[in-house]
Amino acid sequence: MRFIRSILVFTFAALILPSVSANASQDPGTSLPDDKKGHQIQVVYVETQSSTGSKYHTNGRVKQWIAEIQSWLKTKSGKELIFDTHQGQLDIAYLKYEGNIYMENDEDLVRMYQKFNPTNYLGKNLAFIIDQKLSTQGDICGWAPIDGGYSVSMPNWLNCTNDDEEERVFAVETFGLSSSAETILHEILHSYGVGHACDSTTTSDLMHGEPECAAAGIAFNDSEKLTFDKSGLNYYGGNKAGVDLKTLRIWSDGSGNTEFAVPEELQFVPPVTTTTTTTTVAPTKKTINCKKGKISKKITAKNPKCPKGFKKKAR
Ligand SMILES: [Zn+2]
């Protein structure tokens, strides 16, 4: 769970902003053909009943947040995560949910995605980014089951996004990541099995979280740049917070030994595997010729029988 990080925005010089191109890869629930095989993170943009119409999936915002995440990780670890792309562009699947999403019903989204993508959801970690105004969970911006293979981020909840581009750029320069990108990455790491990391060296860490850190008497230092397991003991180089991400095969450089798999209890839709190495032999079908007077019929089946009144014609 990611709590709101309050940001005091002081006067700062307007920065020259990179142009944001619209992302065309929008499609109804279905992943576009994948550039890569194997494990990857599928970003799924969801509009719910109380959507604000912010269209972050098509106006370039989602793409920008993922780019922020990748470049921040690269400076911290030298690695990048694997995101689902189609023809080199981030593939953002789109879902429209009729109600609103809460912690209690978030698995509905996993179900919906699997229904649309029965042949290729197995290797995927799902990052749901949800356009929803209605908030019922208090001061949080996202959540994810630990090791659950999916995460939820709510950028349209109060104070969860740096609203305009100046604010976003300011946050990136000051902390390393904008609020939304920070939430998305924090939740994705939960979904890979990382819990909250609290020790005296991690007061501005990406994986700082409550209630664990408050219980340990460690307050979040929101004036410093975000750190990515500075001690190397918690989740990158060590596993005190649950898992050592370095050992997981989730990085674009192909490193890591441990496969991350979608938990079986979350496979709601029986996975359809496209078999390329089929060894089972299809039942042999036979064709017989059947005749009734002048009419003849060919019947093909495993055990072909002539229709009533027809007689099997000898070869
Ligand atoms: Zn958390």
Side-chain angles (χ1 to χ4, degrees):
M1 181 179 305
R2 189 69 192 156
F3 284 79
I4 294 169
R5 173 196 180 109
S6 57
I7 294 164
L8 296 171
V9 181
F10 297 103
T11 321
F12 57 93
L15 296 150
I16 297 158
L17 313 169
S19 64
V20 180
S21 59
N23 183 5
S25 350
Q26 180 199 353
D27 50 299
T30 324
S31 173
L32 292 168
D34 299 339
D35 287 344
K36 305 163 289 262
K37 278 190 163 43
H39 180 72
Q40 49 201 285
I41 303 167
Q42 166 85 65
V43 175
V44 185
Y45 194 75
V46 184
E47 287 183 334
T48 68
Q49 200 175 47
S50 66
S51 148
T52 66
S54 56
K55 304 285 174 197
Y56 289 146
H57 59 318
T58 51
N59 73 5
R61 266 292 161 109
V62 169
K63 205 174 150 186
Q64 210 164 35
W65 292 330
I66 304 306
E68 269 183 45
I69 286 171
Q70 293 289 55
S71 86
W72 186 77
L73 281 172
K74 187 113 199 190
T75 62
K76 299 291 173 190
S77 66
K79 294 177 194 287
E80 292 181 327
L81 290 168
I82 310 167
F83 280 91
D84 184 336
T85 56
H86 170 69
Q87 296 177 350
Q89 297 287 309
L90 184 69
D91 177 14
I92 306 170
Y94 169 85
L95 292 176
K96 174 76 191 165
Y97 188 76
E98 292 306 324
N100 287 292
I101 289 296
Y102 316 99
M103 280 187 196
E104 294 72 26
N105 67 356
D106 62 0
E107 288 184 1
D108 282 3
L109 298 177
V110 180
R111 254 179 221 111
M112 277 176 86
Y113 181 83
Q114 290 184 357
K115 225 165 77 184
F116 280 118
N117 302 280
T119 60
N120 66 353
Y121 73 79
L122 269 184
K124 291 185 179 176
N125 177 309
L126 302 176
F128 295 104
I129 300 177
I130 304 183
D131 173 11
Q132 175 175 308
K133 194 156 53 182
L134 186 76
S135 167
T136 53
Q137 323 277 175
D139 284 351
I140 63 165
C141 296
W143 67 85
I146 305 286
D147 202 22
Y150 73 96
S151 62
V152 171
S153 302
M154 293 283 190
N156 290 327
W157 283 2
L158 194 65
N159 297 333
C160 290
T161 290
N162 307 109
D163 292 321
D164 59 36
E165 184 60 11
E166 276 185 13
E167 254 186 71
R168 190 190 69 82
V169 172
F170 176 79
V172 172
E173 302 232 316
T174 313
F175 308 115
L177 288 173
S178 66
S179 298
S180 293
E182 182 185 340
T183 300
I184 293 165
L185 182 57
H186 177 100
E187 304 306 343
I188 287 175
L189 297 196
H190 276 328
S191 78
Y192 279 136
V194 180
H196 288 146
C198 330
D199 61 48
S200 52
T201 67
T202 63
T203 55
S204 57
D205 196 81
L206 174 73
M207 295 315 291
H208 183 101
E210 309 305 348
E212 297 86 347
C213 298
I218 295 162
F220 186 69
N221 179 349
D222 64 2
S223 62
E224 280 182 17
K225 279 198 190 287
L226 274 183
T227 60
F228 183 73
D229 194 11
K230 203 163 65 181
S231 66
L233 297 170
N234 293 308
Y235 57 88
Y236 193 77
N239 63 4
K240 269 170 67 185
V243 71
D244 178 3
L245 292 173
K246 225 172 173 172
T247 66
L248 296 185
R249 204 180 300 155
I250 57 173
W251 305 101
S252 63
D253 63 3
S255 61
N257 302 314
T258 312
E259 202 86 54
F260 185 83
V262 174
E264 237 164 78
E265 64 272 20
L266 270 179
Q267 292 172 28
F268 302 116
V269 175
V272 177
T273 42
T274 43
T275 37
T276 47
T277 54
T278 178
T279 49
T280 50
V281 179
T284 320
K285 285 184 179 175
K286 278 186 254 169
T287 300
I288 54 167
N289 292 310
C290 303
K291 218 173 174 183
K292 182 187 179 186
K294 282 181 179 173
I295 313 158
S296 59
K297 276 186 175 177
K298 277 188 174 173
I299 308 290
T300 304
K302 201 174 159 191
N303 290 308
K305 284 190 179 78
C306 287
K308 218 175 170 188
F310 282 74
K311 284 223 161 87
K312 193 174 167 184
K313 201 181 137 189
R315 278 175 187 260

